[in-house]
Amino acid sequence: MVLKEISPIENKPLTMEELPDPVPGPKQILIRVSACGICHTELDEIEGRLPPKLPIVLGHQIVGRVERSGPGATRFASGDRVGIAWIHSACGKCHFCNEGRENLCSEFRGTGCHAQGGYAQYTVVSEDFAYLIPQRFSDAEATPLLCAGAIGYRDLILSGMRKGQTLGLFGFGASAHIVVQIAKYWGCEVFVFTRGEEHRILAKKLGASWTGRPEDEPPRKLHCAIDFTPVGETVPQALRVLEKGGRLVLAVIRKRNPIPPLDYANLLWDEKEIKSVANITRKDALEFLHLAAEIPIISEVQEFKLEEANRALLLLKQGRIQGAGMLRMQEELKNM
Ligand SMILES: [Zn+2]
Ligand SMILES: [Zn+2]
């Protein structure tokens, strides 16, 4: 499914195309994709808030099997089940890369944004940017671990949350439904703020001790909060219920509408902090995949066929996906 031009998702801009099979270059592996998750970042790409390099095959939560290795690639055997996340490559030489902050590298390339992604039967990646998938997860269950989960894990680390503290989650989609499980596992109390009644039910099921709407008053103030929503209004709403000295983490790459003016005295004073999150590192993905198998994370996945990508992304935009959305590659397409 190829994106050729920027357009609202309502116009169904992804089209089914026949492309030549990619060839793995030096140190790269060719992967036969079995499933690929969908993500809000893809809506940002499609609608131009985060313009990709066109034409592009989107998708950065890829699970598949190694078909063959390019020259000099030795890490994986053919048939190994691997995943690819948002980080497709970084320069490996700059001070960010040397400090383990490759997510901030100025040559950071995103999968399905600056390099071809996983809304396809085949894709290639450097073997250094692929991860073995823990056995306990099916292909479908593993897809949201690679972005929603790995980025959610990074959000949680950056929130500075400590055992016994209270965490607020604003929005309850693919990432939050995994983060609530990690936070519970780490002994924290989780409050979930979301408009959707169905999302509140799922949040309770996965361990939230209180749920409400973003404008509601939680039973206690939040030591930290993560805002997963694509709208600006949740920023003052989260700051309003944040404890003194608390930190609010903004998880999305782009907000769809502006953050309203913030009343300094009421919302920001008392040493409150706001921190954004940019991309992920390989370490985030590796650590999180290990943790996910240990907990183990239950991923709630709604499946679509590859050719239904436009519809799946429209449902995501409308907040109508429960848990995480995922595209399944069709068996019969494999030999087309
Ligand atoms: Zn993503
Ligand atoms: Zn770098």
Side-chain angles (χ1 to χ4, degrees), residues 37-42 45 60-61 85-86 146-148 151 253:
I38 61 169
C39 175
H40 269 286
T41 299
E42 279 136 25
E45 292 181 56
H60 57 262
Q61 306 182 81
W86 172 240
L146 290 157
C147 177
I151 294 227
I253 296 189

Side-chain angles (χ1 to χ4, degrees), residues 90-94 97 105-106:
C91 83
K93 300 184 201 93
C94 71
C97 284
C105 175
S106 57

Side-chain angles (χ1 to χ4, degrees), residues 90-98 102 104-108:
C91 83
K93 300 184 201 93
C94 71
H95 73 277
F96 291 117
C97 284
N98 286 332
E102 57 194 5
L104 300 178
C105 175
S106 57
E107 288 174 42
F108 180 97

Side-chain angles (χ1 to χ4, degrees), residues 32-58:
R32 181 159 53 82
V33 181
S34 59
C36 184
I38 61 169
C39 175
H40 269 286
T41 299
E42 279 136 25
L43 286 170
D44 292 333
E45 292 181 56
I46 293 165
E47 300 188 336
R49 292 176 293 275
L50 182 73
K53 182 172 167 281
L54 294 171
I56 190 85
V57 176
L58 302 169

